[in-house]
Amino acid sequence: MKGINIVSTGRCLPEKVIDNDTLSTFVDTSDEWIYTRTGIKMRHKCEEESNTFLACGAAKEALKKAKEKENIDENDIGVVIVATTTGDNAFPSTACMVAKELGLSNEIIAFDISAACSGFVYGLEIVRGLLINSHKKYGLLIGSEQISKILNYEDRTTCVLFGDGAGAALIKLDDSLYVHKAYADGNFEGLNCTGVGKKDNYLHMDGKAVFKAAVTAFDQAIKDALDEKNLTLDDIDHVVCHQANVRIINHVANKHKESKDKFYVNIDRYANTSAASIPIALDELYENNKIKKGQKVLLVAFGAGFTWSSAIYTA
C-alpha cells in the first residue's frame, strides 16, 4: 500500500483570544470550572476573519514551508480538500476558494468534506486515494473551522469548549508505513447542529454521552490501527488526538498504560477547533522539531455524526 509523506504544515488562528475569565463576564462560568473539566484556558475567535481566510492562511503557510524544503511548483498540486462543517458558503466550496486564492491551476480536484472533528484524518485517506490516480504530485489537506458562528454564547455547556482556527498539510505519496481506519454511526445523537435555513442552527451537545462515546471510539480506532501492522503503542513515537477534552486524552493514555508525554496536548491554548485541531497540533510538533524523520505518528479523532478515525504514518 502506498503511504503518505507530510511535506509541510501550516496553521492560522484569528487574532482575538478569549480566556476563561473573559467568558465568565457574560456567561455563568469560571476559569476553575472550565479548566478542571476540560483543560481549556483560552480560545481564538473570529471577528473580521472568515473560515476561508483561516483556510487560506494555513495553506499559504504550509506552501511557504514546503518551498524552503524542496522545489515545489504549485502546478503540481492536484488535490485541495478542506475538512469543515462551518464553511462560509453552501457553495462554492471553501476548497475552491482556497485554490482561487493560491492561484492554482483549474486542472484540480477541490471540494469540502463534512466529518466534523474527524475531518482531517478522513481527509488523509481521500487525498492519498486521489493522488494514486493523479498525474500530479501533491495534495493540500486543510482542516478549518469557525465554530464560533454556531455557538450559543448563553449556553455555558458548549460555548466554553470551542475555538476557531485552521491547520494545513501538503502531502505526497511515498512507500513508508501507512495505516488508515475510518468509522461512522449515524445513530449517535449526542452532538449535532442543524443545517442552513433552520431556525435553531446552534451546536447542541450531551457532554456525558460524548465523553462515553469518545473514549470507546478512541480505544477502537487505536487498537485497530495498531493491530493491522502488529504494532503496539511502544512502537509509536507520537500520538496526536483530536483536542476535545484533556480528560478524554488522559483517560486513553491511562488505559493503555502509556506516558502522557507521548500524547500531545494543546487544548489549553486553542480549545476544541474540530477538524482543525489535529493539523494545528501537527504544525506545532513539526515547528518545534518534535517529530523526527522516520518516527511513527498515530493520529486519532472522533466527531459528531458520529465519525471516528485513525491513521499511522512515518514522518
Side-chain angles (χ1 to χ4, degrees), residues 187-199:
N187 292 307
F188 183 75
E189 299 178 350
L191 184 57
N192 61 78
C193 180
T194 56
V196 175
K198 300 291 186 179
K199 185 175 181 180

Side-chain angles (χ1 to χ4, degrees), residues 107-149:
E107 189 184 355
I108 194 170
I109 296 173
F111 59 92
D112 295 351
I113 59 172
S114 175
C117 309
S118 297
F120 184 83
V121 184
Y122 261 48
L124 285 176
E125 180 67 358
I126 297 170
V127 170
R128 190 187 75 89
L130 290 171
L131 285 178
I132 287 173
N133 294 291
S134 173
H135 66 277
K136 295 196 174 184
K137 187 175 182 180
Y138 301 104
L140 185 58
L141 175 61
I142 306 161
S144 184
E145 298 283 16
Q146 189 182 351
I147 299 292
S148 59
K149 66 185 178 185

Side-chain angles (χ1 to χ4, degrees), residues 56-133:
C56 289
K60 289 176 181 178
E61 186 66 20
L63 284 177
K64 177 183 175 183
K65 291 176 182 175
K67 289 177 179 179
E68 294 170 355
K69 295 173 64 176
E70 57 184 80
N71 186 24
I72 301 292
D73 184 343
E74 280 91 341
N75 289 323
D76 288 333
I77 298 174
V79 179
V80 178
I81 292 177
V82 177
T84 186
T85 54
T86 54
D88 298 323
N89 313 301
F91 52 85
S93 69
T94 310
C96 279
M97 301 308 292
V98 169
K100 171 190 171 184
E101 179 69 19
L102 296 179
L104 301 183
S105 162
N106 60 11
E107 189 184 355
I108 194 170
I109 296 173
F111 59 92
D112 295 351
I113 59 172
S114 175
C117 309
S118 297
F120 184 83
V121 184
Y122 261 48
L124 285 176
E125 180 67 358
I126 297 170
V127 170
R128 190 187 75 89
L130 290 171
L131 285 178
I132 287 173
N133 294 291

Side-chain angles (χ1 to χ4, degrees), residues 16-305:
K16 184 179 180 66
V17 176
I18 301 178
D19 62 21
N20 293 341
D21 288 331
T22 301
L23 272 181
S24 68
T25 64
F26 55 86
V27 68
D28 182 17
T29 190
S30 68
D31 175 65
E32 180 187 17
W33 191 91
I34 298 169
Y35 184 69
T36 57
R37 287 163 176 79
T38 68
I40 297 168
K41 278 288 188 181
M42 62 190 70
R43 73 284 296 144
H44 291 252
K45 182 178 183 294
C46 290
E47 290 194 313
E48 300 300 322
E49 305 96 342
S50 65
N51 189 316
T52 302
F53 174 89
L54 298 177
C56 289
K60 289 176 181 178
E61 186 66 20
L63 284 177
K64 177 183 175 183
K65 291 176 182 175
K67 289 177 179 179
E68 294 170 355
K69 295 173 64 176
E70 57 184 80
N71 186 24
I72 301 292
D73 184 343
E74 280 91 341
N75 289 323
D76 288 333
I77 298 174
V79 179
V80 178
I81 292 177
V82 177
T84 186
T85 54
T86 54
D88 298 323
N89 313 301
F91 52 85
S93 69
T94 310
C96 279
M97 301 308 292
V98 169
K100 171 190 171 184
E101 179 69 19
L102 296 179
L104 301 183
S105 162
N106 60 11
E107 189 184 355
I108 194 170
I109 296 173
F111 59 92
D112 295 351
I113 59 172
S114 175
C117 309
S118 297
F120 184 83
V121 184
Y122 261 48
L124 285 176
E125 180 67 358
I126 297 170
V127 170
R128 190 187 75 89
L130 290 171
L131 285 178
I132 287 173
N133 294 291
S134 173
H135 66 277
K136 295 196 174 184
K137 187 175 182 180
Y138 301 104
L140 185 58
L141 175 61
I142 306 161
S144 184
E145 298 283 16
Q146 189 182 351
I147 299 292
S148 59
K149 66 185 178 185
I150 59 171
L151 292 179
N152 177 359
Y153 280 92
E154 295 180 358
D155 178 8
R156 74 168 185 170
T157 65
T158 57
C159 74
V160 303
L161 301 176
F162 296 90
D164 300 334
L170 187 70
I171 296 166
K172 65 180 180 181
L173 299 177
D174 71 9
D175 294 319
S176 63
L177 169 75
Y178 173 78
V179 179
H180 192 276
K181 295 292 181 182
Y183 316 83
D185 182 359
N187 292 307
F188 183 75
E189 299 178 350
L191 184 57
N192 61 78
C193 180
T194 56
V196 175
K198 300 291 186 179
K199 185 175 181 180
D200 175 7
N201 60 357
Y202 288 133
L203 181 153
H204 296 280
M205 185 179 75
D206 178 339
K208 290 183 179 179
V210 169
F211 188 98
K212 182 179 179 180
V215 296
T216 301
F218 268 9
D219 286 342
Q220 179 186 13
I222 290 172
K223 181 180 183 301
D224 289 354
L226 293 171
D227 287 352
E228 179 157 318
K229 296 295 183 180
N230 295 313
L231 300 170
T232 70
L233 274 178
D234 288 339
D235 299 307
I236 303 297
D237 298 286
H238 303 277
V239 181
V240 183
C241 297
H242 164 53
Q243 305 288 306
N245 188 313
V246 75
R247 292 190 301 148
I248 295 173
I249 298 171
N250 288 342
H251 175 91
V252 174
N254 291 334
K255 181 168 183 176
H256 290 273
K257 297 181 173 59
E258 280 288 338
S259 167
K260 293 184 178 67
D261 292 340
K262 185 175 283 191
F263 289 73
Y264 189 70
V265 173
N266 65 2
I267 191 173
D268 54 317
R269 289 173 284 123
Y270 302 118
N272 181 346
T273 55
S274 188
S277 78
I278 285 180
I280 288 173
L282 280 176
D283 187 51
E284 290 191 329
L285 282 164
Y286 279 109
E287 184 174 79
N288 294 312
N289 296 314
K290 297 288 183 65
I291 297 178
K292 309 293 185 183
K293 187 172 178 60
Q295 288 187 328
K296 295 181 181 66
V297 183
L298 169 62
L299 311 178
V300 59
F302 70 93

